């Protein structure tokens, strides 16, 4: 195999591949990226046995072929090469070496045979549809903060993507929860997605998928089966196993009878919470909200470190209420608001609180209160 490729093109392709590779590997081949050169393009394939990413890039291929080499090391070398360099990769199969040359630099890396590289089994996808990158980005970005990190409840370690019944008909919905907070985000149902099986997309996959969604003009081809999900652009294909478990019935925890309505500027609220939480104890991070007519007082009283309070002008017309929350949860939820105002709907100090952006019901968040 012998090929030449622009550094910037190579770096972009390798960046996605090497981030899938696990740093600590018991199987040496999993630390490698499979490089396949043919025609006028080269593909880079990396896997951790749960996720597989294939990145294609244009190159000048002199001799077609394939080999595998350390993903992280190759990425580091290319990253440190000067801008605008033309990188040439040539494989010496007999010596088991890949030579990288650019300008006056020459590197030689050990290779492993391509036959040892595990390729993810292809599966029949029962549902195929296309979605615009900004829509998918919104769905996953706004939901991912609520993904659970508890390994014991593995079925909560991802985002549940499924078709649901929204207020104006069927929607594509993403839900994530860790038992303390919940995010439910809706988007218009793409054509062809109607019969899609509900799948739990793992946390790592959500992180890798995010890198495909930066281009606002891009259209992502989504394929879903009971066991796998695939997201593809013309240059990158990301295939992942889904979490084998049943996502709990989240509709039961979304309150419908909360009537006490607080409307507040989201960024002012987030900044105020952040300020008063500075003195809260690390463990509980509790912040108390005291509400009366058009007035909100945020306070923290920590016996070990001190106290803080801040008053905000808000729109609130119901009876007095005192309720406590974990500051981190409030900050994460408030930072999801794109518009100016966040609307909180309370019931009592012990019941879950609902938050949304203005009157928009396509993004709904639930947070559990705590005793303060």
């Amino acid at each position: 195999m012998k090929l030449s490729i622009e550094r910037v093109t190579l770096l972009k392709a390798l960046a996605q591949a090497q981030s899938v590779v696990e740093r600590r590997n018991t199987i040496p081949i999993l630390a490698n990226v499979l490089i396949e050169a043919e025609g006028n393009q080269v593909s880079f394939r990396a896997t951790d046995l749960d996720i597989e990413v294939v990145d294609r890039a244009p190159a000048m291929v002199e001799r077609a072929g394939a080999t595998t080499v350390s993903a992280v090391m190759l990425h580091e070398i290319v990253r440190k090469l000067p801008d605008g360099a033309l990188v040439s990769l040539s494989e010496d199969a007999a010596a088991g070496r890949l030579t990288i040359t650019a300008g006056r630099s020459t590197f030689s890396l050990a290779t492993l045979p391509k036959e040892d590289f595990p390729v993810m089994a292809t599966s029949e996808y029962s549902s195929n549809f296309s979605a615009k990158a900004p829509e998918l980005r919104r769905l996953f970005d706004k939901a991912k903060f609520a993904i659970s990190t508890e390994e014991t409840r593995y079925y909560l370690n991802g985002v549940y993507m499924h078709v649901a019944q929204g207020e104006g008909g069927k929607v594509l919905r993403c839900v994530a929860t860790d038992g303390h907070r919940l995010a439910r985000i809706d988007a218009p149902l793409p054509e062809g997605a109607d019969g899609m099986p509900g799948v739990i997309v793992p946390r790592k996959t959500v992180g890798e998928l995010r890198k495909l969604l930066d281009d606002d003009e891009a259209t992502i081809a989504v394929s879903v089966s009971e066991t796998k999900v695939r997201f593809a652009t013309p240059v990158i294909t990301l295939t992942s196993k889904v979490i084998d478990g049943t996502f709990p019935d989240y509709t039961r925890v979304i309150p419908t009878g909360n009537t006490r309505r607080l409307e507040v500027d989201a960024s002012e609220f987030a900044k105020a919470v952040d300020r008063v939480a500075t003195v809260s104890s690390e463990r509980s991070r509790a912040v108390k909200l005291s509400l009366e007519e058009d007035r909100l007082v945020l306070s923290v009283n920590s016996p070990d470190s001190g106290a803080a309070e801040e008053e905000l002008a808000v729109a609130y017309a119901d009876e007095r209420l005192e309720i406590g929350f974990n500051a981190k949860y409030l900050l994460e939820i408030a930072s999801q608001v794109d518009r100016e105002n966040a609307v909180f709907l309370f019931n009592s100090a012990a019941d879950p609180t609902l938050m949304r952006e203005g009157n928009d019901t396509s993004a709904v968040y639930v947070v559990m209160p705590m005793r303060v």
Side-chain angles (χ1 to χ4, degrees):
M1 178 184 83
K2 190 171 184 191
L3 64 102
S4 303
I5 183 168
E6 293 282 345
R7 171 193 174 268
V8 63
T9 313
L10 178 57
L11 187 63
K12 193 175 176 197
L14 282 173
Q16 181 92 30
Q18 66 93 31
S19 68
V20 169
V21 170
E22 287 290 340
R23 290 290 183 268
R24 292 187 297 278
N25 261 319
T26 47
I27 309 168
I29 193 89
L30 290 184
N32 282 14
V33 56
L34 173 62
I35 306 169
E36 296 174 295
E38 200 178 341
N40 59 357
Q41 73 164 9
V42 57
S43 72
F44 300 90
R45 185 186 297 264
T47 183
D48 67 357
L49 297 182
D50 290 326
I51 305 174
E52 180 187 75
V53 66
V54 183
D55 212 321
R56 290 170 289 279
M60 292 170 280
V61 179
E62 285 179 48
R63 204 167 56 240
T67 188
T68 84
V69 67
S70 166
V72 175
M73 201 171 289
L74 183 58
H75 177 258
E76 278 297 288
I77 288 170
V78 175
R79 190 175 63 81
K80 292 172 182 175
L81 288 173
D83 273 347
L86 185 68
V87 184
S88 101
L89 307 177
S90 65
E91 182 208 8
D92 181 347
R97 285 279 183 266
L98 177 75
T99 306
I100 303 129
T101 52
R104 296 180 183 178
S105 310
T106 306
F107 303 86
S108 175
L109 296 183
T111 62
L112 286 172
K114 67 176 190 295
E115 291 75 24
D116 296 350
F117 194 86
V119 174
M120 204 177 252
T122 53
S123 61
E124 287 293 311
Y125 292 102
S126 55
S127 180
N128 297 282
F129 60 91
S130 291
K132 293 264 184 287
E135 283 184 2
L136 282 179
R137 187 170 65 214
R138 176 179 170 274
L139 280 173
F140 284 98
D141 272 5
K142 287 184 173 296
K144 67 182 178 192
F145 76 92
I147 296 174
S148 172
T149 50
E150 260 182 76
E151 296 302 323
T152 47
R153 299 163 80 188
Y154 62 92
Y155 48 84
L156 297 181
N157 294 162
V159 171
Y160 182 44
M161 180 173 77
H162 59 299
V163 177
Q165 193 64 40
E167 287 184 355
K170 287 191 171 176
V171 291
L172 181 63
R173 177 174 288 175
C174 279
V175 179
T177 181
D178 64 357
H180 303 289
R181 62 256 164 98
L182 177 142
R184 189 200 78 193
I185 320 296
D186 292 350
L189 188 68
E191 213 172 304
D194 200 358
M196 178 186 102
V199 288
I200 307 171
V201 183
R203 184 197 298 103
K204 183 174 174 182
T205 309
V206 172
E208 292 303 324
L209 169 64
R210 183 66 186 79
K211 296 167 193 168
L212 274 67
L213 305 178
D214 281 333
D215 179 7
D216 282 353
E217 302 302 312
T219 298
I220 312 291
V222 185
S223 307
V224 183
S225 76
E226 295 284 350
T227 55
K228 287 202 184 86
V229 61
R230 188 177 72 198
F231 301 93
T233 70
V235 290
I236 300 178
T237 304
L238 176 71
T239 311
S240 168
K241 291 179 183 171
V242 299
I243 293 174
D244 181 15
T246 307
F247 201 80
D249 179 8
Y250 60 88
T251 51
R252 297 215 315 270
V253 299
I254 297 177
T256 50
N258 287 10
T259 52
R260 300 178 179 186
R261 186 176 192 275
L262 158 72
E263 189 162 338
V264 59
D265 181 303
S267 75
E268 288 299 316
F269 175 74
K271 287 173 191 163
V273 169
D274 198 20
R275 283 193 287 268
V276 297
T278 314
V279 299
S280 64
S281 70
E282 266 312 303
R283 203 170 54 82
S284 66
R285 306 264 314 188
V287 172
K288 184 162 87 173
L289 280 66
S290 307
L291 281 157
E292 44 194 77
E293 194 173 327
D294 290 346
R295 181 166 168 259
L296 164 66
V297 177
L298 298 164
S299 61
V300 167
N301 199 346
S302 164
D304 310 333
S305 49
E309 80 170 38
E310 180 160 341
E311 190 176 314
L312 285 174
V314 296
Y316 181 76
D318 288 283
E319 62 235 54
R320 283 191 55 148
L321 176 68
E322 289 196 348
I323 187 166
F325 293 103
N326 180 316
K328 178 168 165 271
Y329 298 165
L330 278 186
L331 282 172
E332 284 177 336
I333 282 182
S335 68
Q336 303 304 320
V337 179
D338 298 328
R339 305 206 183 105
E340 285 182 1
N341 285 358
V343 172
F344 288 86
L345 294 165
F346 304 98
N347 187 26
S348 76
D351 292 319
T353 294
L354 190 90
M355 197 280 280
R356 60 174 195 240
E357 304 177 37
N359 292 320
D360 178 13
T361 55
S362 72
V364 169
Y365 308 92
V366 179
V367 59
M368 296 298 287
M370 63 190 289
R371 278 206 196 93
V372 283

